[in-house]
Amino acid sequence: EESEALRLENEGPHRRLVIPSAQVGDAGEFVCDIGGDSVCFSITVTEPPVKILHSSAEEAHAYRAADRVVLACELSRPDAPVRWYKDGEEVEESEALLLENEGPHRRLILPSAQVRDAGEFVCDAGGDSAFFNITVTEPPVQVVFSNADKAHAYQASDRVVLACELSRPNVPVRWYKDGEEVEVGEGLLLENEGSHHRLVIPSARVQDTGEFVCDASGDSVFFTVTVREPPVTV
């Protein structure tokens, strides 16, 4: 039947069936029948290749650990499936990696990025792809607590404890005294427990007086220690 989507034209001996804008549903066999004769037309209509019209691939995808990461693609049609890959392997959806589809929009979301999430992600729409290079780094280490503000005035043979707590565990620190890195021995101990680091002098001596530094690379804290001989008593 003739409609806006299918027109029948007659012009002298010419007969035409016109489909102004073909759809996949128009595929099939058409017959022009004039009674004593006829001609058949086999029509195929396929979707055009899917194109990625827009993506966030050109944005700077440099993140700190725990940041939210959103990789986005907009396709040329809404119902096209995509596959996401990381470093050549197809990703699997989980609490740590979400895949969202909304009309022509496709998004891969990392709610809380980890260092291991760094790599190359690909949004593959079959006929077109977008590549995202992601870097994820740990935030700089910070000293979140220390006893540096305490008065570190001691008498000889007192026990000295200099303490630092860092913003994350398992980070190496270096301890210095008057600009030189300290060496562990019977008279000086270094203790590490998770994010807690301690320099311990079990029995202080006058020569332990000086400036101590807990250096965590991204941050450091200074301790001024004085050690005096105990007062002479009669």
Side-chain angles (χ1 to χ4, degrees), residues 47-53 73-77 80-83 85 122-131:
E47 290 281 6
V50 178
K51 295 291 184 183
I52 295 176
L53 303 180
C73 290
E74 181 183 352
L75 308 182
S76 55
R77 64 173 189 263
V82 302
R83 293 178 181 270
Y85 296 86
V122 180
C123 176
D124 181 4
D128 203 1
S129 302
F131 296 80

Side-chain angles (χ1 to χ4, degrees), residues 71 82-85 90-94 96-102 105-111 121-122:
L71 310 181
V82 302
R83 293 178 181 270
W84 288 91
Y85 296 86
E90 189 168 2
V91 303
E92 292 185 5
E93 193 166 11
S94 66
L97 188 152
L98 309 176
L99 300 178
E100 294 186 350
N101 301 327
E102 185 180 347
H105 300 280
R106 305 290 182 269
R107 287 181 289 271
L108 182 151
I109 299 174
L110 304 174
F121 288 79
V122 180

